[in-house]
């Protein structure tokens, strides 16, 4: 049986028969990466790291960082009411096209940094895109506890910084301190 005939059976049964439906090529969609976001939350970032998912999810006025097994995050940090525990950073370099941006969630002296970027024209691998999560300890993040690189499909907002800024209070600057410990590449 030809593919168009196989497609016609469900279309006819659903009352969708017609030349347009039968002449269309079948659409093969790619699986969407899972996330730790709940219904009503926007996916700001999500990637699978082994058996765990790392996600940043947004509501109208908050961000959540969640990490752990799908549907059962072991860690769920949300932006504090005053957003004192969330910062955004952006770095440009490596020639034209090079950038990295990040969201940093702080819990005590532990920093969970979700980042993504692209190598510039002067880098060894120009145009290469990457993302991941860096977990750092200490007031200045001087000790790396984990460094996870996203190896599979990643979902992210157009700009991590913009996705955070539109949710933060309008009069609040959540940018990393220029020249500070977290104003750099991860």
């Amino acid at each position: 049986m030809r593919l168009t005939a196989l497609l016609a059976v469900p279309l006819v049964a659903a009352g969708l028969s017609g030349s347009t439906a039968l002449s269309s090529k079948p659409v093969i969609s790619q699986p969407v990466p899972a996330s730790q976001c709940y219904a009503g939350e926007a996916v700001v970032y999500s990637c699978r790291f082994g058996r765990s998912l790392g996600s940043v999810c947004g509501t109208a006025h908050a961000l959540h960082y969640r990490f752990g097994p799908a549907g059962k995050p072991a860690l769920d940090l949300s932006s504090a009411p005053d957003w004192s525990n969330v910062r955004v950073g952006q770095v440009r370099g490596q020639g034209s096209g090079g950038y990295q941006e990040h969201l940093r969630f702080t819990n005590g002296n532990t920093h969970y940094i979700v980042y993504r970027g692209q190598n510039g024209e002067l880098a060894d691998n120009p145009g290469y895109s990457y993302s991941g999560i860096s977990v750092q300890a200490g007031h200045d993040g001087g000790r790396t506890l984990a460094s996870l690189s996203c190896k599979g499909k990643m979902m992210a907002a157009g700009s991590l910084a913009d996705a955070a800024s539109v949710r933060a209070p309008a009069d609040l600057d959540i940018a990393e301190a220029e020249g500070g410990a977290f104003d750099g590449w991860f």
Side-chain angles (χ1 to χ4, degrees):
M1 184 179 279
R2 291 183 17 206
L3 179 60
T4 53
L6 288 172
L7 289 173
V9 174
L11 292 173
V12 171
L16 299 173
S17 62
S19 60
T20 305
L22 292 178
S23 64
S24 299
K25 291 183 179 180
V27 176
I28 300 172
S29 62
Q30 297 295 321
V32 176
S35 79
Q36 298 280 21
C37 300
Y38 302 130
E41 294 180 334
V43 177
V44 174
Y45 175 89
S46 191
C47 188
R48 181 171 294 283
F49 300 93
R51 294 181 182 177
S52 295
L53 284 171
S55 300
V56 175
C57 309
T59 62
H61 302 290
L63 283 179
H64 297 269
Y65 167 76
R66 297 185 182 112
F67 188 86
K72 298 177 184 175
L75 181 62
D76 187 341
L77 297 175
S78 62
S79 50
D82 66 356
W83 281 68
S84 59
N85 66 329
V86 177
R87 292 291 176 260
V88 299
Q90 298 176 324
V91 179
R92 302 239 176 248
Q94 303 174 337
S96 178
Y99 76 94
Q100 186 181 88
E101 61 175 349
H102 71 266
L103 295 172
R104 177 172 58 99
F105 290 80
T106 299
N107 184 21
N109 278 329
T110 305
H111 308 275
Y112 302 88
I113 303 162
V114 176
Y115 65 88
R116 75 172 190 174
Q118 179 175 305
N119 288 349
E121 66 184 6
L122 299 177
D124 289 341
N125 191 359
Y128 174 74
S129 295
Y130 57 91
S131 75
I133 298 173
S134 180
V135 181
Q136 298 182 357
H139 176 69
D140 62 354
R143 189 167 54 111
T144 301
L145 301 177
S147 184
L148 306 172
S149 179
C150 180
K151 302 288 187 201
K153 291 196 178 270
M154 179 260 308
M155 264 192 310
S159 164
L160 299 178
D162 289 349
S165 295
V166 300
R167 290 170 170 86
D171 59 344
L172 186 63
D173 181 9
I174 59 171
E176 294 284 8
E178 191 170 328
F182 299 98
D183 184 27
W185 299 87
F186 296 99

